[in-house]
Coordinates of all heavy atoms in Angstrom, one line a residue:
M1 N 4.1 -47.1 -89.9 CA 3.1 -47.1 -88.9 C 3.4 -48.2 -87.8 O 3.1 -47.9 -86.7 CB 1.7 -47.3 -89.5 CG 0.6 -47.2 -88.6 SD 0.6 -45.6 -87.7 CE -1.1 -45.1 -87.9
L2 N 3.9 -49.3 -88.3 CA 4.2 -50.4 -87.3 C 5.3 -50.0 -86.4 O 5.2 -50.2 -85.2 CB 4.6 -51.7 -88.1 CG 3.5 -52.3 -88.9 CD1 4.1 -53.4 -89.8 CD2 2.4 -52.9 -88.0
S3 N 6.3 -49.3 -86.9 CA 7.4 -48.9 -86.0 C 6.9 -47.9 -85.0 O 7.3 -47.9 -83.9 CB 8.5 -48.3 -86.9 OG 9.1 -49.3 -87.7
R4 N 6.1 -47.0 -85.5 CA 5.5 -45.9 -84.6 C 4.7 -46.6 -83.5 O 4.8 -46.2 -82.3 CB 4.7 -44.9 -85.4 CG 4.3 -43.7 -84.5 CD 3.5 -42.7 -85.3 NE 3.7 -42.8 -86.7 CZ 3.1 -42.0 -87.6 NH1 2.2 -41.1 -87.1 NH2 3.2 -42.1 -88.9
A5 N 3.9 -47.5 -83.8 CA 3.1 -48.2 -82.8 C 4.0 -49.0 -81.8 O 3.7 -48.9 -80.6 CB 2.1 -49.2 -83.5
A6 N 5.0 -49.6 -82.3 CA 5.9 -50.3 -81.4 C 6.6 -49.4 -80.5 O 6.8 -49.7 -79.3 CB 7.0 -51.1 -82.3
V7 N 7.1 -48.2 -81.0 CA 7.7 -47.2 -80.1 C 6.8 -46.7 -79.1 O 7.2 -46.5 -77.9 CB 8.4 -46.1 -81.0 CG1 8.8 -45.0 -80.1 CG2 9.5 -46.7 -81.8
M8 N 5.5 -46.5 -79.4 CA 4.5 -46.0 -78.4 C 4.3 -47.1 -77.3 O 4.3 -46.7 -76.2 CB 3.2 -45.7 -79.1 CG 3.3 -44.4 -80.0 SD 1.8 -44.1 -81.0 CE 0.5 -44.2 -79.8
L9 N 4.2 -48.3 -77.7 CA 4.1 -49.4 -76.7 C 5.3 -49.5 -75.8 O 5.2 -49.7 -74.6 CB 3.8 -50.7 -77.4 CG 2.4 -50.9 -78.0 CD1 2.4 -52.2 -78.9 CD2 1.4 -51.0 -76.9
M10 N 6.5 -49.4 -76.5 CA 7.7 -49.4 -75.8 C 7.8 -48.3 -74.7 O 8.2 -48.5 -73.6 CB 8.9 -49.4 -76.8 CG 10.2 -49.9 -76.3 SD 11.4 -49.9 -77.6 CE 10.8 -51.3 -78.6
S11 N 7.5 -47.1 -75.1 CA 7.6 -46.0 -74.2 C 6.6 -46.1 -73.1 O 6.9 -45.8 -71.9 CB 7.3 -44.7 -75.0 OG 8.2 -44.4 -76.0
A12 N 5.4 -46.6 -73.4 CA 4.4 -46.7 -72.3 C 4.8 -47.8 -71.3 O 4.7 -47.6 -70.1 CB 3.0 -47.1 -73.0
A13 N 5.4 -48.9 -71.8 CA 5.9 -50.0 -70.9 C 7.0 -49.5 -70.1 O 7.0 -49.7 -68.9 CB 6.3 -51.2 -71.8
A14 N 7.9 -48.7 -70.6 CA 9.0 -48.1 -69.9 C 8.5 -47.2 -68.7 O 9.0 -47.3 -67.6 CB 10.0 -47.4 -70.8
E15 N 7.5 -46.4 -69.1 CA 6.9 -45.6 -68.1 C 6.2 -46.4 -66.9 O 6.4 -46.1 -65.8 CB 5.8 -44.7 -68.7 CG 5.2 -43.7 -67.8 CD 4.3 -42.8 -68.5 OE1 4.6 -42.3 -69.6 OE2 3.2 -42.5 -67.9
K16 N 5.5 -47.4 -67.3 CA 4.9 -48.3 -66.3 C 5.9 -49.1 -65.5 O 5.6 -49.5 -64.4 CB 3.8 -49.2 -66.9 CG 2.7 -48.5 -67.6 CD 1.9 -47.7 -66.5 CE 0.8 -46.9 -67.1 NZ 0.1 -46.1 -66.2
L17 N 7.1 -49.3 -66.0 CA 8.1 -49.9 -65.2 C 8.9 -48.9 -64.3 O 9.8 -49.3 -63.6 CB 9.1 -50.6 -66.2 CG 8.6 -51.9 -66.8 CD1 9.6 -52.4 -67.9 CD2 8.4 -53.0 -65.8
G18 N 8.6 -47.6 -64.5 CA 9.2 -46.6 -63.7 C 10.6 -46.2 -64.2 O 11.3 -45.5 -63.6
L19 N 10.9 -46.6 -65.5 CA 12.2 -46.3 -66.0 C 12.4 -44.8 -66.4 O 13.5 -44.4 -66.6 CB 12.4 -47.2 -67.3 CG 12.4 -48.7 -67.0 CD1 12.6 -49.4 -68.3 CD2 13.5 -49.0 -66.0
A20 N 11.3 -44.1 -66.4 CA 11.4 -42.6 -66.7 C 11.8 -41.8 -65.5 O 12.1 -40.6 -65.6 CB 10.1 -42.1 -67.3
D21 N 11.7 -42.4 -64.3 CA 12.0 -41.7 -63.1 C 13.4 -42.0 -62.5 O 14.0 -43.0 -62.9 CB 11.0 -42.1 -62.0 CG 9.6 -41.5 -62.3 OD1 9.5 -40.7 -63.2 OD2 8.7 -41.9 -61.5
D22 N 13.9 -41.1 -61.7 CA 15.2 -41.3 -61.1 C 15.2 -42.5 -60.2 O 16.2 -43.2 -60.1 CB 15.6 -40.0 -60.3 CG 15.9 -38.8 -61.2 OD1 16.3 -39.0 -62.4 OD2 15.8 -37.7 -60.7
D23 N 14.2 -42.7 -59.5 CA 14.0 -43.9 -58.6 C 12.9 -44.7 -59.1 O 11.7 -44.5 -58.7 CB 13.8 -43.4 -57.2 CG 13.7 -44.6 -56.2 OD1 14.0 -45.7 -56.6 OD2 13.4 -44.3 -55.0
P24 N 13.1 -45.7 -59.9 CA 12.0 -46.5 -60.5 C 11.1 -47.2 -59.4 O 9.9 -47.3 -59.6 CB 12.8 -47.6 -61.3 CG 14.1 -47.0 -61.7 CD 14.4 -46.1 -60.5
D25 N 11.7 -47.6 -58.3 CA 10.9 -48.2 -57.2 C 9.9 -47.3 -56.6 O 8.9 -47.8 -56.1 CB 11.8 -48.8 -56.2 CG 12.7 -49.9 -56.7 OD1 12.3 -50.6 -57.6 OD2 13.8 -50.0 -56.2
A26 N 10.1 -46.0 -56.7 CA 9.2 -45.0 -56.1 C 8.4 -44.2 -57.1 O 7.7 -43.3 -56.8 CB 10.0 -44.0 -55.2
A27 N 8.5 -44.7 -58.4 CA 7.8 -44.0 -59.5 C 6.3 -44.0 -59.2 O 5.7 -45.1 -59.0 CB 8.1 -44.6 -60.8
P28 N 5.6 -42.9 -59.3 CA 4.2 -42.9 -59.1 C 3.4 -43.7 -60.2 O 2.3 -44.1 -59.9 CB 3.8 -41.4 -59.2 CG 4.9 -40.7 -59.8 CD 6.1 -41.6 -59.6
Q29 N 3.9 -43.8 -61.4 CA 3.2 -44.5 -62.4 C 3.6 -46.0 -62.5 O 3.2 -46.7 -63.5 CB 3.4 -43.8 -63.8 CG 4.7 -43.5 -64.3 CD 5.4 -42.3 -63.7 OE1 5.7 -42.3 -62.5 NE2 5.6 -41.3 -64.5
L30 N 4.4 -46.5 -61.6 CA 4.8 -47.9 -61.5 C 3.6 -48.8 -61.5 O 2.7 -48.7 -60.6 CB 5.7 -48.2 -60.3 CG 6.3 -49.6 -60.2 CD1 7.2 -49.9 -61.4 CD2 7.0 -49.8 -58.9
D31 N 3.4 -49.7 -62.5 CA 2.3 -50.6 -62.6 C 2.7 -51.8 -63.4 O 2.7 -51.8 -64.6 CB 1.1 -49.8 -63.3 CG -0.2 -50.7 -63.3 OD1 -0.1 -51.9 -63.1 OD2 -1.2 -50.1 -63.6
L32 N 3.2 -52.8 -62.6 CA 3.7 -54.0 -63.3 C 2.7 -54.8 -64.1 O 3.0 -55.4 -65.1 CB 4.4 -54.9 -62.3 CG 5.7 -54.3 -61.7 CD1 6.3 -55.3 -60.7 CD2 6.7 -53.9 -62.7
D33 N 1.4 -54.8 -63.6 CA 0.4 -55.4 -64.3 C 0.2 -54.8 -65.7 O 0.1 -55.5 -66.7 CB -0.9 -55.4 -63.5 CG -2.0 -56.3 -64.2 OD1 -1.8 -57.4 -64.5 OD2 -3.2 -55.8 -64.3
E34 N 0.1 -53.5 -65.8 CA -0.1 -52.8 -67.0 C 1.2 -52.9 -67.9 O 1.1 -53.1 -69.1 CB -0.4 -51.3 -66.8 CG -0.7 -50.5 -68.0 CD -2.0 -50.9 -68.7 OE1 -2.9 -51.6 -68.0 OE2 -2.2 -50.6 -69.9
A35 N 2.4 -52.9 -67.3 CA 3.6 -53.1 -68.0 C 3.6 -54.5 -68.7 O 4.0 -54.6 -69.8 CB 4.8 -53.0 -67.1
R36 N 3.2 -55.5 -68.0 CA 3.1 -56.9 -68.5 C 2.2 -56.9 -69.8 O 2.6 -57.5 -70.8 CB 2.5 -57.8 -67.5 CG 2.3 -59.3 -68.0 CD 1.7 -60.2 -67.0 NE 2.5 -60.4 -65.8 CZ 3.5 -61.3 -65.8 NH1 3.8 -62.0 -66.8 NH2 4.2 -61.4 -64.7
R37 N 1.1 -56.2 -69.7 CA 0.2 -56.2 -70.9 C 0.8 -55.5 -72.1 O 0.7 -55.9 -73.2 CB -1.1 -55.5 -70.5 CG -1.9 -56.3 -69.5 CD -3.1 -55.5 -69.0 NE -3.7 -56.2 -67.9 CZ -4.8 -55.8 -67.3 NH1 -5.4 -54.8 -67.7 NH2 -5.2 -56.5 -66.3
L38 N 1.5 -54.3 -71.8 CA 2.1 -53.6 -72.9 C 3.3 -54.3 -73.5 O 3.4 -54.3 -74.7 CB 2.6 -52.2 -72.3 CG 1.5 -51.2 -71.9 CD1 2.0 -50.1 -71.0 CD2 0.8 -50.7 -73.2
I39 N 4.1 -55.0 -72.7 CA 5.2 -55.7 -73.2 C 4.7 -56.9 -74.0 O 5.3 -57.2 -75.1 CB 6.1 -56.2 -72.0 CG1 6.8 -55.0 -71.4 CG2 7.2 -57.2 -72.6 CD1 7.5 -55.3 -70.1
T40 N 3.7 -57.6 -73.6 CA 3.1 -58.7 -74.3 C 2.6 -58.3 -75.7 O 2.8 -58.9 -76.7 CB 2.1 -59.5 -73.5 OG1 2.7 -60.0 -72.3 CG2 1.5 -60.6 -74.3
G41 N 1.9 -57.1 -75.7 CA 1.4 -56.6 -76.9 C 2.5 -56.2 -77.8 O 2.4 -56.4 -79.1
L42 N 3.5 -55.6 -77.3 CA 4.7 -55.2 -78.1 C 5.4 -56.4 -78.7 O 5.7 -56.5 -79.9 CB 5.7 -54.4 -77.2 CG 7.0 -54.1 -77.9 CD1 6.8 -53.1 -79.0 CD2 7.9 -53.4 -76.8
A43 N 5.5 -57.5 -77.9 CA 6.1 -58.7 -78.4 C 5.3 -59.3 -79.5 O 5.9 -59.8 -80.6 CB 6.3 -59.7 -77.3
G44 N 4.0 -59.3 -79.4 CA 3.1 -59.8 -80.4 C 3.2 -59.0 -81.7 O 3.3 -59.6 -82.8
L45 N 3.2 -57.7 -81.6 CA 3.3 -56.8 -82.7 C 4.7 -57.0 -83.5 O 4.7 -57.2 -84.7 CB 3.2 -55.3 -82.3 CG 3.4 -54.3 -83.4 CD1 2.3 -54.4 -84.5 CD2 3.4 -52.9 -82.8
I46 N 5.7 -57.0 -82.7 CA 7.1 -57.2 -83.4 C 7.2 -58.6 -84.0 O 7.6 -58.7 -85.2 CB 8.2 -57.0 -82.3 CG1 8.2 -55.5 -82.0 CG2 9.5 -57.4 -82.9 CD1 9.2 -55.2 -80.8
T47 N 6.7 -59.6 -83.3 CA 6.8 -61.0 -83.9 C 6.0 -61.1 -85.1 O 6.4 -61.7 -86.1 CB 6.4 -62.0 -82.8 OG1 7.3 -61.9 -81.7 CG2 6.5 -63.4 -83.3
A48 N 4.8 -60.6 -85.1 CA 3.9 -60.7 -86.3 C 4.3 -59.9 -87.5 O 4.0 -60.2 -88.6 CB 2.5 -60.4 -85.8
S49 N 5.0 -58.8 -87.2 CA 5.3 -57.9 -88.3 C 6.8 -57.7 -88.6 O 7.2 -56.8 -89.3 CB 4.7 -56.5 -88.0 OG 5.3 -56.0 -86.8
V50 N 7.6 -58.7 -88.1 CA 9.1 -58.5 -88.3 C 9.5 -58.4 -89.7 O 10.4 -57.7 -90.1 CB 9.8 -59.7 -87.6 CG1 9.6 -61.0 -88.3 CG2 11.3 -59.4 -87.4
E51 N 8.8 -59.1 -90.6 CA 9.2 -59.0 -92.0 C 8.9 -57.7 -92.7 O 9.5 -57.3 -93.7 CB 8.5 -60.1 -92.8 CG 7.0 -59.9 -92.9 CD 6.3 -61.0 -93.6 OE1 6.4 -61.1 -94.9 OE2 5.6 -61.8 -93.0
Y52 N 8.1 -56.9 -92.0 CA 7.8 -55.5 -92.6 C 8.5 -54.4 -91.9 O 8.4 -53.3 -92.3 CB 6.3 -55.3 -92.4 CG 5.4 -56.3 -93.0 CD1 4.6 -57.2 -92.3 CD2 5.4 -56.5 -94.4 CE1 3.9 -58.2 -92.8 CE2 4.6 -57.5 -95.0 CZ 3.8 -58.3 -94.2 OH 3.1 -59.3 -94.8
L53 N 9.3 -54.7 -90.8 CA 10.0 -53.7 -90.1 C 11.3 -53.3 -90.7 O 11.9 -52.3 -90.3 CB 10.1 -54.2 -88.6 CG 8.9 -54.3 -87.8 CD1 9.1 -54.9 -86.5 CD2 8.1 -53.0 -87.7
G54 N 11.8 -54.1 -91.6 CA 13.1 -53.8 -92.2 C 14.2 -53.5 -91.3 O 14.4 -54.3 -90.3
P55 N 15.0 -52.4 -91.4 CA 16.1 -52.2 -90.6 C 15.7 -51.8 -89.1 O 16.6 -51.8 -88.3 CB 16.8 -51.0 -91.2 CG 15.7 -50.3 -92.0 CD 14.8 -51.4 -92.5
H56 N 14.5 -51.6 -88.9 CA 14.0 -51.3 -87.5 C 13.8 -52.5 -86.7 O 13.7 -52.4 -85.5 CB 12.7 -50.5 -87.6 CG 12.8 -49.2 -88.4 ND1 13.5 -48.1 -88.0 CD2 12.3 -48.9 -89.6 CE1 13.4 -47.2 -88.9 NE2 12.7 -47.6 -89.9
A57 N 13.8 -53.7 -87.3 CA 13.5 -54.9 -86.6 C 14.5 -55.2 -85.4 O 14.1 -55.5 -84.3 CB 13.4 -56.1 -87.5
G58 N 15.7 -55.1 -85.7 CA 16.8 -55.4 -84.8 C 16.7 -54.5 -83.5 O 16.6 -54.9 -82.4
P59 N 16.7 -53.1 -83.7 CA 16.6 -52.2 -82.6 C 15.3 -52.4 -81.8 O 15.3 -52.3 -80.5 CB 16.7 -50.8 -83.2 CG 17.4 -51.0 -84.5 CD 17.0 -52.4 -85.0
L60 N 14.2 -52.7 -82.5 CA 12.9 -52.9 -81.7 C 13.0 -54.2 -80.9 O 12.5 -54.3 -79.8 CB 11.8 -53.0 -82.7 CG 11.4 -51.6 -83.3 CD1 10.3 -51.8 -84.4 CD2 10.9 -50.6 -82.3
R61 N 13.6 -55.2 -81.5 CA 13.8 -56.5 -80.7 C 14.7 -56.3 -79.5 O 14.4 -56.8 -78.4 CB 14.4 -57.6 -81.6 CG 13.4 -58.2 -82.5 CD 14.1 -59.4 -83.2 NE 13.3 -60.0 -84.2 CZ 13.8 -60.6 -85.3 NH1 15.1 -60.7 -85.4 NH2 13.0 -61.1 -86.2
D62 N 15.7 -55.5 -79.7 CA 16.6 -55.2 -78.6 C 15.9 -54.4 -77.5 O 16.1 -54.7 -76.3 CB 17.8 -54.4 -79.0 CG 18.8 -55.2 -79.9 OD1 18.7 -56.4 -80.0 OD2 19.6 -54.6 -80.6
G63 N 15.1 -53.4 -77.9 CA 14.3 -52.7 -76.9 C 13.3 -53.5 -76.2 O 13.2 -53.4 -74.9
L64 N 12.7 -54.5 -76.9 CA 11.8 -55.4 -76.2 C 12.5 -56.2 -75.2 O 12.0 -56.4 -74.1 CB 11.1 -56.3 -77.3 CG 10.3 -57.4 -76.8 CD1 9.1 -57.0 -75.9 CD2 9.8 -58.3 -78.0
Q65 N 13.6 -56.8 -75.6 CA 14.3 -57.6 -74.6 C 14.8 -56.8 -73.4 O 14.8 -57.3 -72.3 CB 15.6 -58.3 -75.3 CG 15.2 -59.4 -76.2 CD 16.4 -60.0 -76.8 OE1 17.5 -59.5 -76.7 NE2 16.2 -61.2 -77.5
S66 N 15.2 -55.6 -73.6 CA 15.5 -54.7 -72.4 C 14.3 -54.5 -71.5 O 14.5 -54.6 -70.3 CB 16.0 -53.4 -72.9 OG 17.2 -53.5 -73.6
L67 N 13.2 -54.3 -72.1 CA 12.0 -54.2 -71.3 C 11.6 -55.4 -70.5 O 11.2 -55.4 -69.4 CB 10.8 -53.7 -72.1 CG 10.8 -52.3 -72.6 CD1 9.7 -52.1 -73.7 CD2 10.7 -51.3 -71.5
Q68 N 11.8 -56.6 -71.2 CA 11.5 -57.8 -70.6 C 12.5 -58.1 -69.4 O 12.1 -58.5 -68.3 CB 11.6 -59.0 -71.6 CG 10.5 -59.0 -72.6 CD 10.7 -60.0 -73.7 OE1 11.7 -60.0 -74.3 NE2 9.6 -60.8 -74.0
R69 N 13.7 -57.7 -69.6 CA 14.7 -57.9 -68.5 C 14.4 -56.9 -67.3 O 14.5 -57.2 -66.2 CB 16.1 -57.6 -69.0 CG 16.6 -58.8 -69.8 CD 18.1 -58.6 -70.1 NE 18.5 -59.5 -71.2 CZ 18.7 -59.1 -72.4 NH1 18.6 -57.8 -72.8 NH2 19.0 -60.0 -73.4
A70 N 14.0 -55.7 -67.7 CA 13.7 -54.7 -66.7 C 12.4 -55.1 -65.9 O 12.4 -54.9 -64.7 CB 13.4 -53.3 -67.3
F71 N 11.5 -55.7 -66.5 CA 10.3 -56.3 -65.9 C 10.7 -57.3 -64.9 O 10.3 -57.4 -63.7 CB 9.3 -56.8 -66.9 CG 8.0 -57.3 -66.2 CD1 7.0 -56.5 -66.1 CD2 7.9 -58.6 -65.7 CE1 5.8 -56.9 -65.4 CE2 6.8 -59.1 -65.1 CZ 5.7 -58.2 -64.9
R72 N 11.6 -58.2 -65.3 CA 12.1 -59.3 -64.4 C 12.8 -58.7 -63.2 O 12.6 -59.2 -62.1 CB 13.0 -60.2 -65.2 CG 13.4 -61.5 -64.4 CD 14.2 -62.5 -65.3 NE 13.4 -63.0 -66.4 CZ 12.5 -64.0 -66.3 NH1 12.3 -64.5 -65.1 NH2 11.9 -64.4 -67.4
E73 N 13.6 -57.7 -63.4 CA 14.3 -57.1 -62.3 C 13.3 -56.3 -61.3 O 13.5 -56.3 -60.1 CB 15.3 -56.1 -62.8 CG 16.5 -56.8 -63.5 CD 17.5 -55.8 -64.1 OE1 17.4 -54.6 -63.8 OE2 18.3 -56.3 -64.9
A74 N 12.3 -55.7 -61.9 CA 11.3 -55.0 -61.1 C 10.4 -55.8 -60.3 O 9.8 -55.4 -59.3 CB 10.5 -54.0 -62.0
S75 N 10.2 -57.1 -60.7 CA 9.2 -57.9 -60.1 C 9.8 -58.5 -58.8 O 10.9 -59.0 -58.8 CB 8.8 -59.1 -61.1 OG 7.9 -59.9 -60.5
T76 N 8.9 -58.5 -57.8 CA 9.4 -59.1 -56.5 C 9.4 -60.6 -56.6 O 10.1 -61.3 -55.8 CB 8.5 -58.6 -55.3 OG1 7.1 -58.9 -55.6 CG2 8.7 -57.2 -55.1
H77 N 8.5 -61.2 -57.4 CA 8.5 -62.6 -57.7 C 8.6 -62.9 -59.2 O 7.6 -63.0 -59.9 CB 7.1 -63.2 -57.2 CG 6.9 -63.0 -55.7 ND1 7.6 -63.6 -54.7 CD2 6.0 -62.1 -55.1 CE1 7.2 -63.2 -53.6 NE2 6.3 -62.3 -53.7
P78 N 9.9 -62.9 -59.7 CA 10.0 -63.1 -61.1 C 9.4 -64.3 -61.7 O 9.3 -65.4 -61.0 CB 11.6 -63.1 -61.3 CG 12.1 -62.5 -60.0 CD 11.1 -62.8 -59.0
D79 N 8.9 -64.2 -62.9 CA 8.3 -65.3 -63.6 C 9.4 -66.3 -63.9 O 10.5 -66.0 -64.1 CB 7.6 -64.9 -64.9 CG 6.5 -63.9 -64.6 OD1 5.7 -64.2 -63.8 OD2 6.4 -62.9 -65.3
A80 N 8.9 -67.6 -64.1 CA 9.9 -68.6 -64.6 C 10.3 -68.3 -66.0 O 9.5 -67.7 -66.7 CB 9.2 -70.0 -64.5
P81 N 11.5 -68.7 -66.4 CA 11.9 -68.5 -67.8 C 10.9 -69.0 -68.8 O 10.4 -70.1 -68.6 CB 13.2 -69.2 -67.9 CG 13.8 -69.2 -66.5 CD 12.5 -69.4 -65.6
G82 N 10.5 -68.2 -69.7 CA 9.5 -68.5 -70.7 C 8.1 -68.1 -70.3 O 7.2 -68.2 -71.1
Q83 N 7.9 -67.7 -69.1 CA 6.6 -67.3 -68.6 C 6.4 -65.8 -68.4 O 5.4 -65.3 -68.0 CB 6.3 -68.0 -67.3 CG 6.3 -69.5 -67.3 CD 5.3 -70.0 -68.3 OE1 4.2 -69.7 -68.3 NE2 5.8 -70.9 -69.2
G84 N 7.5 -65.0 -68.6 CA 7.4 -63.6 -68.5 C 6.6 -62.9 -69.6 O 6.2 -63.5 -70.5
P85 N 6.4 -61.6 -69.5 CA 5.6 -60.9 -70.5 C 6.2 -61.0 -71.9 O 7.4 -60.7 -72.1 CB 5.6 -59.4 -70.0 CG 6.8 -59.3 -69.0 CD 7.0 -60.7 -68.5
G86 N 5.4 -61.4 -72.8 CA 5.8 -61.6 -74.2 C 6.7 -62.8 -74.5 O 7.0 -63.0 -75.7
E87 N 7.1 -63.5 -73.5 CA 8.0 -64.6 -73.8 C 7.4 -65.8 -74.5 O 8.1 -66.6 -75.1 CB 8.6 -65.1 -72.5 CG 9.6 -64.1 -71.9 CD 10.3 -64.5 -70.7 OE1 10.2 -65.7 -70.2 OE2 11.1 -63.7 -70.1
K88 N 6.0 -65.8 -74.6 CA 5.4 -66.9 -75.4 C 5.6 -66.6 -76.9 O 5.5 -67.4 -77.7 CB 3.9 -67.1 -75.1 CG 3.0 -66.0 -75.5 CD 1.6 -66.3 -75.2 CE 0.6 -65.3 -75.6 NZ -0.8 -65.7 -75.3
Y89 N 5.9 -65.3 -77.2 CA 6.2 -64.9 -78.6 C 7.7 -64.9 -78.9 O 8.1 -65.1 -80.0 CB 5.6 -63.5 -78.9 CG 4.1 -63.5 -78.7 CD1 3.6 -62.7 -77.7 CD2 3.3 -64.2 -79.5 CE1 2.2 -62.6 -77.5 CE2 1.9 -64.1 -79.3 CZ 1.4 -63.4 -78.3 OH 0.0 -63.3 -78.1
T90 N 8.5 -64.5 -77.9 CA 9.9 -64.3 -78.1 C 10.8 -65.5 -77.6 O 12.0 -65.5 -78.0 CB 10.4 -63.1 -77.4 OG1 10.3 -63.2 -76.0 CG2 9.7 -61.8 -77.9
G91 N 10.3 -66.3 -76.8 CA 11.1 -67.3 -76.1 C 11.6 -66.7 -74.8 O 11.5 -65.5 -74.6
P92 N 12.3 -67.6 -74.0 CA 12.8 -67.1 -72.7 C 13.8 -66.0 -72.8 O 14.6 -66.0 -73.7 CB 13.4 -68.3 -72.1 CG 12.9 -69.5 -72.8 CD 12.5 -69.0 -74.2
V93 N 13.7 -65.0 -71.9 CA 14.6 -63.9 -71.8 C 15.3 -64.0 -70.5 O 14.6 -64.0 -69.5 CB 14.0 -62.5 -72.1 CG1 14.9 -61.4 -71.9 CG2 13.4 -62.5 -73.5
Y94 N 16.6 -64.0 -70.4 CA 17.3 -64.2 -69.1 C 17.9 -62.9 -68.7 O 18.3 -62.1 -69.5 CB 18.3 -65.3 -69.2 CG 17.7 -66.6 -69.5 CD1 17.7 -67.1 -70.8 CD2 17.1 -67.4 -68.5 CE1 17.1 -68.3 -71.1 CE2 16.5 -68.6 -68.8 CZ 16.6 -69.1 -70.1 OH 16.0 -70.3 -70.4

């Protein structure tokens, strides 16, 4: 159940970052505020449940970091290292 919830949050965040469209900058569902919330929730879920995720922990962490980097790239005013979505749980993502 934890992995399924993480994948759902990951998919929703990717959609809000516009990653599902050919041109992410023109994606109609682009919403960085909502993406920030989803990524932060995902980071909290993964961090709190890492011991229960077993072999899924690594790929979920990798996916989270990819979303955090995509958020930084999509933002016109990137957050300072350690201040981006979910970084209070994961540490800075560059």
